[in-house]
Amino acid sequence: MFPVRYYGEIEFWIAFIKVLSITGFIIFCICMVCGAGPYGPFGFRYWKNPGSWGPGIISSNKNEARFLGWVSSLINAAFTYQGTELVGVTAGEASNPRKTVPNAIKKVIFRILIFYILCLFLVGLLVPYNDPKLTSVTTYVSKSPFIIAIQNSGIPFLDSIFNGAILITIVSAGNSNVYVGSRILYGLAKNGSAPKFFKNTTKTGVPYIAVLTTSMFGSLAYLELSISGGTAFEWLLNIVSIAGFFVWLLISVAHIRFMQVLKYRGISRDDLPYKAKLMPWLADFPD
Protein backbone atom coordinates (compact mmCIF):
# COMPACT_ATOMS: atom_id res chain seq x y z
CA MET A 1 0.00 0.00 0.00
CA PHE A 2 3.06 2.24 0.10
CA PRO A 3 4.50 4.10 -2.92
CA VAL A 4 6.64 2.08 -5.28
CA ARG A 5 9.85 3.72 -4.07
CA TYR A 6 9.45 1.91 -0.74
CA TYR A 7 9.02 -1.38 -2.58
CA GLY A 8 12.23 -0.69 -4.48
CA GLU A 9 14.10 0.20 -1.30
CA ILE A 10 12.95 -2.94 0.50
CA GLU A 11 13.80 -5.13 -2.47
CA PHE A 12 17.25 -3.57 -2.73
CA TRP A 13 18.22 -4.52 0.81
CA ILE A 14 16.59 -7.93 0.64
CA ALA A 15 18.37 -8.61 -2.65
CA PHE A 16 21.63 -7.60 -0.98
CA ILE A 17 21.02 -10.16 1.78
CA LYS A 18 20.08 -12.83 -0.77
CA VAL A 19 23.18 -12.25 -2.88
CA LEU A 20 25.36 -12.25 0.22
CA SER A 21 23.78 -15.51 1.43
CA ILE A 22 24.08 -17.30 -1.90
CA THR A 23 27.65 -16.13 -2.37
CA GLY A 24 28.51 -17.38 1.10
CA PHE A 25 26.77 -20.67 0.37
CA ILE A 26 28.74 -21.15 -2.86
CA ILE A 27 32.02 -20.48 -1.07
CA PHE A 28 30.98 -22.83 1.74
CA CYS A 29 30.10 -25.63 -0.71
CA ILE A 30 33.37 -25.27 -2.60
CA CYS A 31 35.26 -25.51 0.69
CA MET A 32 33.31 -28.61 1.74
CA VAL A 33 33.82 -30.30 -1.63
CA CYS A 34 37.55 -29.63 -1.40
CA GLY A 35 37.82 -31.04 2.13
CA ALA A 36 37.54 -28.14 4.57
CA GLY A 37 34.88 -29.89 6.67
CA PRO A 38 35.24 -32.56 9.37
CA TYR A 39 34.40 -35.38 6.94
CA GLY A 40 37.18 -34.70 4.48
CA PRO A 41 36.78 -33.86 0.80
CA PHE A 42 33.41 -34.79 -0.68
CA GLY A 43 34.57 -34.46 -4.26
CA PHE A 44 32.42 -36.60 -6.54
CA ARG A 45 31.95 -39.43 -4.04
CA TYR A 46 28.15 -39.32 -4.27
CA TRP A 47 28.31 -39.44 -8.05
CA LYS A 48 30.04 -42.81 -7.68
CA ASN A 49 28.04 -44.16 -4.75
CA PRO A 50 25.03 -44.19 -4.93
CA GLY A 51 25.50 -42.56 -8.34
CA SER A 52 24.55 -39.36 -10.10
CA TRP A 53 21.19 -40.72 -11.31
CA GLY A 54 18.37 -42.09 -9.20
CA PRO A 55 16.24 -45.12 -10.07
CA GLY A 56 13.60 -42.98 -11.77
CA ILE A 57 9.82 -43.28 -11.54
CA ILE A 58 6.85 -45.23 -12.91
CA SER A 59 8.58 -47.46 -15.47
CA SER A 60 10.44 -50.70 -14.72
CA ASN A 61 12.88 -49.90 -17.52
CA LYS A 62 15.81 -48.07 -15.92
CA ASN A 63 16.50 -45.61 -18.73
CA GLU A 64 12.83 -44.90 -19.31
CA ALA A 65 12.22 -44.43 -15.59
CA ARG A 66 15.09 -41.98 -15.33
CA PHE A 67 13.80 -40.04 -18.32
CA LEU A 68 10.33 -39.83 -16.78
CA GLY A 69 11.87 -38.67 -13.52
CA TRP A 70 13.74 -35.95 -15.38
CA VAL A 71 10.53 -34.83 -17.12
CA SER A 72 8.75 -34.77 -13.77
CA SER A 73 11.48 -32.57 -12.32
CA LEU A 74 10.82 -29.97 -15.02
CA ILE A 75 7.69 -28.89 -13.13
CA ASN A 76 9.71 -27.96 -10.05
CA ALA A 77 12.43 -26.44 -12.21
CA ALA A 78 9.90 -24.28 -14.05
CA PHE A 79 8.50 -23.06 -10.74
CA THR A 80 11.91 -21.82 -9.62
CA TYR A 81 12.77 -20.14 -12.91
CA GLN A 82 9.44 -18.37 -13.31
CA GLY A 83 9.56 -14.70 -12.47
CA THR A 84 12.60 -13.72 -14.50
CA GLU A 85 10.26 -12.35 -17.16
CA LEU A 86 8.57 -10.00 -14.70
CA VAL A 87 11.32 -7.43 -15.07
CA GLY A 88 9.27 -6.07 -17.96
CA VAL A 89 6.36 -5.27 -15.63
CA THR A 90 8.49 -2.78 -13.72
CA ALA A 91 9.12 -0.72 -16.86
CA GLY A 92 5.91 1.23 -16.34
CA GLU A 93 7.16 2.69 -13.05
CA ALA A 94 10.89 2.85 -13.77
CA SER A 95 12.44 6.30 -13.91
CA ASN A 96 14.47 5.53 -17.04
CA PRO A 97 13.17 2.25 -18.52
CA ARG A 98 15.17 2.58 -21.74
CA LYS A 99 18.34 2.20 -19.68
CA THR A 100 17.39 0.32 -16.51
CA VAL A 101 15.24 -2.45 -18.04
CA PRO A 102 17.81 -3.57 -20.67
CA ASN A 103 20.51 -3.56 -17.99
CA ALA A 104 18.36 -5.74 -15.74
CA ILE A 105 17.56 -8.15 -18.57
CA LYS A 106 21.22 -8.56 -19.52
CA LYS A 107 22.08 -9.59 -15.96
CA VAL A 108 19.44 -12.34 -15.81
CA ILE A 109 21.53 -14.93 -17.67
CA PHE A 110 24.48 -14.45 -15.32
CA ARG A 111 22.24 -14.74 -12.28
CA ILE A 112 20.81 -17.99 -13.62
CA LEU A 113 24.26 -19.43 -14.30
CA ILE A 114 25.67 -18.49 -10.88
CA PHE A 115 22.74 -18.59 -8.49
CA TYR A 116 20.88 -21.51 -10.09
CA ILE A 117 23.17 -23.75 -12.12
CA LEU A 118 26.32 -23.44 -10.00
CA CYS A 119 24.41 -23.77 -6.72
CA LEU A 120 22.58 -26.89 -7.87
CA PHE A 121 25.81 -28.42 -9.16
CA LEU A 122 27.48 -27.94 -5.78
CA VAL A 123 24.44 -29.23 -3.90
CA GLY A 124 24.53 -32.32 -6.11
CA LEU A 125 28.06 -32.97 -4.89
CA LEU A 126 27.10 -32.70 -1.22
CA VAL A 127 23.71 -34.45 -1.16
CA PRO A 128 23.15 -37.97 -2.55
CA TYR A 129 19.84 -38.62 -4.27
CA ASN A 130 18.95 -41.29 -1.68
CA ASP A 131 19.50 -39.10 1.37
CA PRO A 132 16.60 -39.94 3.74
CA LYS A 133 16.18 -36.27 4.64
CA LEU A 134 14.98 -35.56 1.09
CA THR A 135 11.85 -37.60 1.75
CA SER A 136 11.29 -36.31 5.27
CA VAL A 137 7.66 -36.09 6.36
CA THR A 138 8.28 -33.15 8.68
CA THR A 139 8.46 -29.84 6.81
CA TYR A 140 9.41 -28.65 3.36
CA VAL A 141 12.20 -26.55 4.82
CA SER A 142 13.82 -29.62 6.35
CA LYS A 143 13.70 -31.29 2.91
CA SER A 144 15.53 -28.43 1.25
CA PRO A 145 18.69 -29.79 -0.41
CA PHE A 146 20.45 -26.58 0.55
CA ILE A 147 19.77 -27.18 4.23
CA ILE A 148 20.64 -30.88 3.90
CA ALA A 149 23.94 -29.97 2.23
CA ILE A 150 24.82 -27.82 5.23
CA GLN A 151 23.72 -30.49 7.70
CA ASN A 152 25.74 -33.18 5.91
CA SER A 153 28.85 -31.04 6.22
CA GLY A 154 28.72 -31.31 10.01
CA ILE A 155 28.96 -27.56 10.66
CA PRO A 156 26.67 -26.70 13.63
CA PHE A 157 24.20 -23.79 13.62
CA LEU A 158 24.90 -22.90 10.00
CA ASP A 159 21.67 -24.53 8.81
CA SER A 160 19.66 -22.27 11.15
CA ILE A 161 21.40 -19.20 9.77
CA PHE A 162 20.63 -20.24 6.22
CA ASN A 163 17.04 -20.95 7.23
CA GLY A 164 16.83 -17.30 8.21
CA ALA A 165 18.10 -16.33 4.77
CA ILE A 166 15.44 -18.55 3.19
CA LEU A 167 12.77 -16.82 5.28
CA ILE A 168 13.96 -13.43 4.04
CA THR A 169 13.85 -14.76 0.48
CA ILE A 170 10.24 -15.87 0.99
CA VAL A 171 9.32 -12.39 2.20
CA SER A 172 10.97 -10.94 -0.89
CA ALA A 173 9.10 -13.36 -3.16
CA GLY A 174 5.78 -12.45 -1.56
CA ASN A 175 6.59 -8.76 -1.84
CA SER A 176 7.45 -9.08 -5.53
CA ASN A 177 4.42 -11.21 -6.35
CA VAL A 178 2.02 -8.77 -4.73
CA TYR A 179 3.62 -5.89 -6.60
CA VAL A 180 3.57 -7.62 -9.98
CA GLY A 181 0.12 -9.17 -9.53
CA SER A 182 -1.46 -5.87 -8.54
CA ARG A 183 0.11 -4.04 -11.49
CA ILE A 184 -1.10 -6.69 -13.92
CA LEU A 185 -4.63 -6.41 -12.50
CA TYR A 186 -4.41 -2.63 -12.82
CA GLY A 187 -3.24 -2.91 -16.42
CA LEU A 188 -6.04 -5.34 -17.28
CA ALA A 189 -8.59 -2.98 -15.76
CA LYS A 190 -7.26 -0.06 -17.79
CA ASN A 191 -7.60 -2.14 -20.96
CA GLY A 192 -11.14 -3.16 -20.07
CA SER A 193 -10.22 -6.81 -19.45
CA ALA A 194 -10.86 -6.68 -15.69
CA PRO A 195 -13.42 -4.93 -13.45
CA LYS A 196 -13.03 -1.15 -13.45
CA PHE A 197 -12.64 -0.86 -9.68
CA PHE A 198 -9.14 -2.31 -9.99
CA LYS A 199 -8.15 1.03 -11.56
CA ASN A 200 -8.72 2.87 -8.27
CA THR A 201 -5.46 4.22 -6.86
CA THR A 202 -4.25 6.20 -3.89
CA LYS A 203 -2.90 9.74 -4.22
CA THR A 204 0.56 8.29 -4.74
CA GLY A 205 -0.63 6.04 -7.58
CA VAL A 206 -0.84 2.72 -5.73
CA PRO A 207 -3.71 0.51 -7.04
CA TYR A 208 -4.85 -0.38 -3.53
CA ILE A 209 -7.80 -2.59 -4.50
CA ALA A 210 -5.58 -4.62 -6.80
CA VAL A 211 -2.96 -4.87 -4.04
CA LEU A 212 -5.50 -6.08 -1.48
CA THR A 213 -7.00 -8.58 -3.92
CA THR A 214 -3.60 -10.00 -4.81
CA SER A 215 -2.58 -10.19 -1.15
CA MET A 216 -5.65 -12.26 -0.30
CA PHE A 217 -4.29 -15.17 -2.30
CA GLY A 218 -1.40 -15.35 0.15
CA SER A 219 -3.85 -16.88 2.61
CA LEU A 220 -3.65 -20.09 0.60
CA ALA A 221 -0.31 -20.66 2.32
CA TYR A 222 -2.23 -21.65 5.46
CA LEU A 223 -3.34 -24.81 3.65
CA GLU A 224 0.09 -26.16 4.53
CA LEU A 225 -0.98 -26.28 8.18
CA SER A 226 -3.70 -28.84 7.50
CA ILE A 227 -3.24 -32.59 7.73
CA SER A 228 -3.10 -32.90 3.95
CA GLY A 229 -1.00 -29.76 3.60
CA GLY A 230 1.65 -31.55 1.57
CA THR A 231 -0.90 -32.56 -1.04
CA ALA A 232 -2.30 -29.03 -1.19
CA PHE A 233 1.19 -27.64 -1.65
CA GLU A 234 1.91 -30.04 -4.51
CA TRP A 235 -1.34 -29.05 -6.22
CA LEU A 236 -0.56 -25.34 -5.89
CA LEU A 237 3.00 -25.92 -7.10
CA ASN A 238 1.82 -27.80 -10.18
CA ILE A 239 -0.94 -25.28 -10.97
CA VAL A 240 1.43 -22.33 -10.73
CA SER A 241 4.11 -24.08 -12.77
CA ILE A 242 1.74 -25.04 -15.59
CA ALA A 243 0.28 -21.53 -15.58
CA GLY A 244 3.82 -20.21 -15.91
CA PHE A 245 4.36 -22.35 -19.00
CA PHE A 246 1.29 -20.77 -20.57
CA VAL A 247 2.60 -17.31 -19.67
CA TRP A 248 5.90 -18.06 -21.41
CA LEU A 249 3.99 -19.37 -24.41
CA LEU A 250 1.85 -16.23 -24.65
CA ILE A 251 4.90 -13.99 -24.24
CA SER A 252 6.53 -15.79 -27.16
CA VAL A 253 3.39 -15.44 -29.28
CA ALA A 254 3.15 -11.73 -28.40
CA HIS A 255 6.79 -11.23 -29.35
CA ILE A 256 6.32 -12.97 -32.69
CA ARG A 257 3.31 -10.78 -33.45
CA PHE A 258 5.28 -7.71 -32.34
CA MET A 259 8.06 -8.54 -34.79
CA GLN A 260 5.51 -9.02 -37.56
CA VAL A 261 4.06 -5.57 -36.86
CA LEU A 262 7.53 -4.02 -36.95
CA LYS A 263 8.19 -5.63 -40.30
CA TYR A 264 4.81 -4.54 -41.66
CA ARG A 265 5.47 -0.93 -40.66
CA GLY A 266 9.04 -0.95 -41.92
CA ILE A 267 10.64 -0.47 -38.50
CA SER A 268 14.06 -2.02 -37.99
CA ARG A 269 14.96 -3.93 -34.81
CA ASP A 270 18.06 -1.74 -34.66
CA ASP A 271 15.81 1.18 -33.74
CA LEU A 272 14.63 -0.55 -30.54
CA PRO A 273 16.19 0.37 -27.17
CA TYR A 274 16.95 -3.31 -26.55
CA LYS A 275 17.36 -6.29 -28.86
CA ALA A 276 17.22 -9.78 -27.38
CA LYS A 277 19.72 -12.20 -28.85
CA LEU A 278 18.50 -15.07 -31.05
CA MET A 279 15.15 -13.36 -31.43
CA PRO A 280 12.64 -13.74 -32.99
CA TRP A 281 13.75 -17.31 -33.76
CA LEU A 282 14.09 -18.27 -30.10
CA ALA A 283 10.48 -17.23 -29.52
CA ASP A 284 9.39 -20.07 -31.81
CA PHE A 285 10.96 -22.67 -29.51
CA PRO A 286 8.18 -22.80 -26.82
CA ASP A 287 5.57 -23.05 -29.57
Side-chain angles (χ1 to χ4, degrees), residues 42-64:
F42 280 82
F44 289 85
R45 68 169 71 166
Y46 291 137
W47 286 28
K48 298 178 181 179
N49 182 28
S52 57
W53 282 87
I57 59 174
I58 302 176
S59 177
S60 58
N61 181 280
K62 182 175 68 174
N63 293 330
E64 183 179 353

Side-chain angles (χ1 to χ4, degrees), residues 2-66:
F2 297 101
V4 69
R5 65 176 181 273
Y6 294 109
Y7 163 79
E9 187 71 18
I10 293 172
E11 280 301 299
F12 171 80
W13 289 108
I14 291 180
F16 173 76
I17 296 174
K18 288 192 293 185
V19 171
L20 190 64
S21 301
I22 294 297
T23 303
F25 180 78
I26 291 174
I27 296 174
F28 164 79
C29 287
I30 293 175
C31 292
M32 293 300 105
V33 169
C34 295
Y39 301 128
F42 280 82
F44 289 85
R45 68 169 71 166
Y46 291 137
W47 286 28
K48 298 178 181 179
N49 182 28
S52 57
W53 282 87
I57 59 174
I58 302 176
S59 177
S60 58
N61 181 280
K62 182 175 68 174
N63 293 330
E64 183 179 353
R66 287 177 172 177

Side-chain angles (χ1 to χ4, degrees), residues 220-265:
L220 293 174
Y222 290 105
L223 291 172
E224 171 64 16
L225 300 177
S226 64
I227 298 177
S228 57
T231 303
F233 180 84
E234 292 293 340
W235 273 95
L236 289 175
L237 175 66
N238 292 335
I239 290 172
V240 172
S241 299
I242 297 300
F245 280 127
F246 280 104
V247 170
W248 287 344
L249 174 64
L250 293 176
I251 289 175
S252 297
V253 172
H255 184 80
I256 292 172
R257 292 291 297 151
F258 173 69
M259 297 306 300
Q260 290 174 345
V261 171
L262 289 182
K263 183 178 180 180
Y264 177 78
R265 296 190 176 184

Side-chain angles (χ1 to χ4, degrees), residues 7 10 23 25 62 76 91 98 101 132 136 138 141 144 148 164 168 213 216-217 230 235 237 244 247 260 281:
Y7 163 79
I10 293 172
T23 303
F25 180 78
K62 182 175 68 174
N76 290 333
R98 285 178 171 265
V101 173
S136 171
T138 52
V141 175
S144 168
I148 296 174
I168 294 175
T213 303
M216 289 173 58
F217 286 93
W235 273 95
L237 175 66
V247 170
Q260 290 174 345
W281 301 280

Side-chain angles (χ1 to χ4, degrees), residues 19-227:
V19 171
L20 190 64
S21 301
I22 294 297
T23 303
F25 180 78
I26 291 174
I27 296 174
F28 164 79
C29 287
I30 293 175
C31 292
M32 293 300 105
V33 169
C34 295
Y39 301 128
F42 280 82
F44 289 85
R45 68 169 71 166
Y46 291 137
W47 286 28
K48 298 178 181 179
N49 182 28
S52 57
W53 282 87
I57 59 174
I58 302 176
S59 177
S60 58
N61 181 280
K62 182 175 68 174
N63 293 330
E64 183 179 353
R66 287 177 172 177
F67 174 75
L68 293 175
W70 174 77
V71 172
S72 176
S73 69
L74 292 180
I75 299 295
N76 290 333
F79 178 79
T80 58
Y81 279 94
Q82 286 166 12
T84 54
E85 73 282 355
L86 297 180
V87 64
V89 179
T90 62
E93 297 183 72
S95 58
N96 187 8
R98 285 178 171 265
K99 180 180 179 180
T100 56
V101 173
N103 287 340
I105 293 174
K106 292 176 182 177
K107 295 176 182 177
V108 168
I109 182 63
F110 298 104
R111 292 173 181 172
I112 290 176
L113 290 175
I114 296 174
F115 297 142
Y116 285 78
I117 306 300
L118 180 59
C119 276
L120 291 177
F121 170 73
L122 293 172
V123 167
L125 296 178
L126 296 175
V127 181
Y129 72 81
N130 61 350
D131 193 305
K133 301 187 191 73
L134 291 172
T135 55
S136 171
V137 295
T138 52
T139 63
Y140 279 96
V141 175
S142 64
K143 292 193 293 185
S144 168
F146 293 91
I147 300 300
I148 296 174
I150 295 174
Q151 292 173 343
N152 289 351
S153 67
I155 307 298
F157 308 116
L158 191 58
D159 56 338
S160 298
I161 296 175
F162 202 76
N163 263 330
I166 292 177
L167 179 61
I168 294 175
T169 301
I170 293 173
V171 173
S172 173
N175 192 31
S176 299
N177 289 333
V178 170
Y179 170 79
V180 172
S182 61
R183 268 50 182 186
I184 291 176
L185 268 180
Y186 174 76
L188 290 173
K190 287 193 67 176
N191 292 332
S193 301
K196 294 182 179 180
F197 57 79
F198 285 124
K199 293 194 298 182
N200 296 336
T201 62
T202 62
K203 293 181 179 180
T204 55
V206 178
Y208 62 95
I209 296 181
V211 170
L212 292 174
T213 303
T214 306
S215 301
M216 289 173 58
F217 286 93
S219 302
L220 293 174
Y222 290 105
L223 291 172
E224 171 64 16
L225 300 177
S226 64
I227 298 177

